[in-house]
Amino acid sequence: MHSSNQRTHITTWVVGLALYLPLLHGWQETQTTAAQNPVNSLKNLSLEELAQVEVTSPSKHPQPVLKSPVAIFVLTGEDIRRSGATSIPEALRQAPGVEVARIDGNKWSVGIRGFGSRLSRSVLVLIDGRTVYTTFFAGTYWEVQDTLLEDIERIEVIRGPGGTIWGPNAVNGVINIITRKAKDTRGTFATMGGGSEEQGFGSVRVGGGNGKGLNYRVYGKGFTRSPQYHPDARNFDDWRGAQTGFRLDWDKSPRDSFTVQGDLYRQEAGERVQATTYSPPETRNVDAKPHLSGGNFMASWNRTLNSGGAIHLQAYYDRTNRHEPNFGELRDTFDVDLLYRAPPVAGQQFSVGLGARFSNGRAVQVVSGLTFDPPQRTDQLLTAFLQDEISLVPNHLTLTLGTKFLHTNYTASEFEPSARILWAPSDKDSVWAAFTHALRTPSRVERDFNLSGFVRFLPDGTPFMARFNANRGFVPEQMNGYEAGYRRLLLPSLYVDVATFYNHYHNLLSQEFDGPIFFESSPTPAHLLLPAKFGNGLRATSMGGEIAPEWRPTSRWRLRTSYAYLYLNVQNAINSKDVGTAPGISRSSPRHQAVVQSAFDISRQVTLDLTYRYASALPLQDVDSYSTGDARLAWRIHRQLEVAITGQNLLQPHHAEFAGDPGPLVGIRRGVYAGVTWRSSR
């Protein structure tokens, strides 16, 4: 069977190459400039110019990295391309302070400054301003967050709370994925390839415009990926999918611009889950191929006012369908957001905003041990935003005060205030400090979720069960964060960014005993039951920091390193009856992380990129510390044609990174793949 699959893949790629080769014949060289190719343009920026690159995540308006009073890291499209990453989580491994651990072939744990988990419940993730955080299980399903990686302009990663700007659930950080404008993707892009773990992939994008401010692009992509290493030989986590999308930009005038964009996707992402049934009373592991699908549509309008202010209006619709072996959900989300940035007056810059989101979820019961009551609910989120940037000393000292007001169907009115100050003695360095209050709002998993599990049969044959009951009194998780940082361009070839933090959390999610064991006759069969519920019984403190220097010894060689230290202590609050989840959360993220990256242009046509990664152990998960490395060698044969070979996790045959599946730990395999890419501009 295995050899048959191999023959099928080989045949597929031989046929694919046969179809592709005629396209390579008879090319006509197209003259392009750096201005027409944003990838090359960005690559050629000096460190001083990169420090002045404008980011939008800290304040929802463009400002230079060096003048941003937050711990922010910008991952450029060029960084992603040269890393050889084939998914957004893998690309995020380059960002300091971001803990990315692969669980199996299609799932990741992602955390920022602690609390790593599959759904990243303390991190808010956005794609072009569209929130992909789900209120069903509180977090982000990373496997379905995708786009054409070539079209990503940059990923802005904020380490630390961002709730004042972005609202609830941005407790430990914000990951804002920003794609390129349609005018920057005119022409044709195509890539295809395959290998050991990346068995096969292909993407095509076509873009154009009318030369009068109207530009568009359309893309399609597909992939198939192999399972990772399983000690029990149960290779459940193979993965395949396809996605298509479009973007249309219209610059109607120098003052007004409009954008319409959307995506559709469908996947089969193999997984292993635990499924519990009452009759017969059992809990078993189920291997299956869940069907995941969905789509989104977004429209936005930007107007620049003559007085120097701006208006931004955005609305989107998002549909997700999940059909897994132990549950299912269909969800429709509608969101609208309005932001007004007032003209500067007397050294002050006011920004105000309003937002509303309605998300209707319909749970599908698959097994008797997992239910939602009620099965259908519409989650509501209403927000208001106010921020004032005060220039205390022009061009040198800035104070930013703001707050986010929010109201949901689960909570009363809440506030997320912040205060940030930045001192820039010169145009080459800055120091900043901040205080922020952030929160994570309740989700359906805490309020409506009921989960039963079979423990064992008693000596007399009576089943012994445990049940987590929904907690309608679950309140928001809270965090008070204190941060400070320093950035400096030490030399034209040496830049350093340092950030430190101390966070205090309370009302964190816990699993609480909910009374004494009792006998229950319904549902049948009669059984002994241990009741429990989700509660707010944990509190925590965390502290640490990140340092991320970058050095360019020559114009053709770039060295970038980062080190992150994290101390996280989670304890039971007073009167908590937590069943013992606190130690596991304390050790859910590595205490030490380090990344070293070398990007070397061997010649104008040949590039070599090397990455070394280290993460310390997760003892309670039986995950040892590990070191591994990636390598990518690319040869630009022609102005439009590039061939690359990429090796991932090269230092050992396989290694475990995170325990997230039932059964033995899954090992992340060493993998090698090759690809050919064609780019043309017009």
Side-chain angles (χ1 to χ4, degrees):
M1 184 71 177
H2 180 68
S3 61
S4 175
N5 287 338
Q6 284 184 325
R7 288 194 297 271
T8 300
H9 288 303
I10 292 172
T11 301
T12 300
W13 289 114
V14 169
V15 173
L17 284 173
L19 295 173
Y20 193 75
L21 283 173
L23 297 175
L24 308 183
H25 181 68
W27 263 347
Q28 294 182 349
E29 184 171 327
T30 302
Q31 297 297 322
T32 59
T33 64
Q36 293 172 312
N37 190 337
V39 170
N40 289 334
S41 178
L42 188 57
K43 179 177 66 175
N44 294 329
L45 290 180
S46 67
L47 282 177
E48 185 171 2
E49 290 169 326
L50 283 173
Q52 300 299 327
V53 166
E54 292 186 333
V55 293
T56 57
S57 298
S59 60
K60 284 195 176 182
H61 73 88
Q63 62 183 158
V65 171
L66 199 66
K67 298 295 181 67
S68 300
V70 296
I72 188 169
F73 180 85
V74 179
L75 184 64
T76 69
E78 174 74 358
D79 295 332
I80 297 170
R81 185 183 70 85
R82 294 191 61 155
S83 72
T86 56
S87 66
I88 290 173
E90 293 297 317
L92 290 172
R93 291 185 186 274
Q94 303 175 68
V98 179
E99 303 116 20
V100 179
R102 198 164 186 176
I103 299 171
D104 59 28
N106 55 67
K107 291 188 284 295
W108 287 264
S109 165
V110 178
I112 296 180
R113 294 179 173 176
F115 297 94
S117 67
R118 182 198 167 187
L119 293 180
S120 311
R121 77 172 192 260
S122 299
V123 178
L124 186 66
V125 183
L126 308 106
I127 301 178
D128 286 328
R130 174 176 58 88
T131 300
V132 297
Y133 186 102
T134 175
T135 56
F136 184 52
F137 272 120
T140 298
Y141 286 107
W142 286 101
E143 64 272 23
V144 296
Q145 310 311 327
D146 198 10
T147 187
L148 195 63
L149 296 186
E150 174 76 13
D151 289 346
I152 294 178
E153 177 184 293
R154 65 188 187 275
I155 301 178
E156 298 177 0
V157 180
I158 292 179
R159 309 184 305 276
T164 299
I165 299 296
W166 295 104
N169 311 317
V171 178
N172 276 22
V174 177
I175 297 173
N176 192 10
I177 301 161
I178 301 169
T179 63
R180 296 158 68 185
K181 294 181 178 180
K183 68 179 181 181
D184 297 326
T185 55
R186 297 180 63 171
T188 303
F189 167 84
T191 186
M192 64 182 300
S196 57
E197 196 262 337
E198 296 286 335
Q199 293 179 322
F201 60 88
S203 303
V204 177
R205 181 247 292 146
V206 177
N210 65 358
K212 299 179 181 179
L214 183 66
N215 295 280
Y216 70 90
R217 67 166 173 259
V218 181
Y219 78 90
K221 64 180 296 185
F223 64 87
T224 177
R225 293 169 184 162
S226 73
Q228 297 297 318
Y229 172 76
H230 298 266
D232 60 359
R234 298 291 297 274
N235 296 329
F236 57 80
D237 56 326
D238 55 330
W239 188 19
R240 60 192 54 84
Q243 182 162 323
T244 184
F246 77 97
R247 174 165 175 158
L248 179 69
D249 293 333
W250 179 31
D251 295 329
K252 181 182 177 182
S253 69
R255 295 177 56 197
D256 292 287
S257 62
F258 300 85
T259 296
V260 178
Q261 62 189 94
D263 306 275
L264 292 172
Y265 69 87
R266 185 174 182 85
Q267 294 184 8
E268 288 185 0
E271 68 176 355
R272 170 177 292 171
V273 301
Q274 284 190 337
T276 293
T277 59
Y278 276 105
S279 183
E282 65 174 352
T283 296
R284 66 188 188 281
N285 291 338
V286 178
D287 297 347
K289 300 289 187 290
H291 294 282
L292 315 174
S293 63
N296 62 82
F297 179 84
M298 185 171 68
S300 64
W301 167 53
N302 288 281
R303 161 163 280 201
T304 301
L305 304 178
N306 290 333
S307 55
I311 298 174
H312 173 73
L313 176 64
Q314 174 181 284
Y316 68 80
Y317 164 72
D318 191 291
R319 171 65 181 253
T320 59
N321 307 308
R322 298 190 69 88
H323 299 278
E324 303 196 36
N326 55 348
F327 78 94
E329 193 216 23
L330 311 176
R331 179 167 291 273
D332 296 287
T333 301
F334 301 86
D335 183 280
V336 61
D337 188 73
L338 173 65
L339 176 68
Y340 169 67
R341 182 169 170 81
V345 177
Q348 298 189 66
Q349 180 81 67
F350 285 96
S351 298
V352 296
L354 297 172
R357 183 178 307 146
F358 301 92
S359 185
N360 180 263
R362 300 173 297 287
V364 179
Q365 183 174 343
V366 178
V367 295
S368 59
L370 193 160
T371 61
F372 283 83
D373 181 26
Q376 181 170 339
R377 181 190 289 275
T378 298
D379 297 328
Q380 303 170 21
L381 171 65
L382 304 176
T383 62
F385 160 70
L386 174 64
Q387 179 172 279
D388 185 14
E389 297 179 32
I390 308 168
S391 179
L392 301 176
V393 179
N395 300 319
H396 292 290
L397 183 62
T398 303
L399 174 65
T400 304
L401 302 174
T403 189
K404 192 87 167 187
F405 161 83
L406 60 98
H407 180 83
T408 78
N409 52 302
Y410 294 122
T411 65
S413 299
E414 300 279 354
F415 290 88
E416 295 184 287
S418 73
R420 298 181 179 273
I421 190 166
L422 181 137
W423 167 247
S426 70
D427 58 357
K428 298 183 186 303
D429 62 342
S430 62
V431 59
W432 60 272
F435 164 79
T436 308
H437 177 71
L439 57 88
R440 181 184 75 84
T441 55
S443 67
R444 293 201 68 192
V445 73
E446 292 100 10
R447 289 293 188 96
D448 302 338
F449 180 68
N450 297 279
L451 175 65
S452 298
F454 172 71
V455 180
R456 61 185 174 88
F457 284 105
L458 299 178
D460 63 356
T462 301
F464 182 32
M465 308 285 287
R467 179 192 299 147
F468 277 94
N469 298 309
N471 181 3
R472 302 296 166 81
F474 190 88
V475 299
E477 296 183 332
Q478 308 275 344
M479 187 265 263
N480 291 322
Y482 306 85
E483 304 173 87
Y486 177 68
R487 301 183 183 95
R488 183 174 176 84
L489 187 66
L490 298 171
L491 299 168
S493 61
L494 182 60
Y495 175 81
V496 66
D497 187 346
V498 181
T500 61
F501 64 91
Y502 173 84
N503 297 328
H504 179 266
Y505 306 82
H506 59 281
N507 293 342
L508 293 180
L509 174 69
S510 60
Q511 300 177 16
E512 305 276 332
F513 288 117
D514 194 25
I517 298 173
F518 65 94
F519 188 79
E520 186 177 61
S521 58
S522 179
T524 58
H527 53 272
L528 204 62
L529 183 70
L530 173 65
K533 67 178 180 181
F534 294 108
N536 296 99
L538 299 182
R539 54 189 175 91
T541 56
S542 67
M543 63 183 70
E546 306 93 24
I547 180 170
E550 181 172 334
W551 179 39
R552 299 191 179 180
T554 71
S555 60
R556 294 164 56 181
W557 189 18
R558 166 178 156 182
L559 286 171
R560 189 167 64 188
T561 66
S562 68
Y563 168 73
Y565 171 77
L566 169 70
Y567 174 78
L568 175 61
N569 181 31
V570 183
Q571 298 179 333
N572 288 11
I574 298 174
N575 299 324
S576 172
K577 298 178 181 179
D578 180 67
V579 299
T581 56
I585 298 175
S586 294
R587 299 298 182 91
S588 61
S589 297
R591 181 164 293 185
H592 305 277
Q593 277 197 145
V595 178
V596 180
Q597 296 174 281
S598 169
F600 184 56
D601 295 343
I602 298 174
S603 69
R604 292 176 63 90
Q605 291 77 34
V606 182
T607 59
L608 175 64
D609 293 85
L610 304 173
T611 301
Y612 167 82
R613 293 184 281 112
Y614 168 80
S616 58
L618 306 176
L620 294 185
Q621 299 188 25
D622 294 325
V623 174
D624 296 329
S625 63
Y626 67 88
S627 297
T628 192
D630 305 329
R632 180 180 182 270
L633 179 65
W635 178 28
R636 187 174 292 276
I637 300 174
H638 184 276
R639 184 182 296 274
Q640 297 168 312
L641 177 66
E642 181 182 77
V643 176
I645 183 168
T646 301
Q648 298 172 317
N649 304 302
L650 295 174
L651 301 189
Q652 57 278 113
H654 55 81
H655 67 278
E657 295 186 358
F658 200 86
D661 291 314
L665 281 172
V666 176
I668 307 307
R669 294 181 185 271
R670 174 192 292 145
V672 178
Y673 74 88
V676 58
T677 299
W678 175 35
R679 296 180 181 87
S680 69
S681 301
R682 58 177 174 173

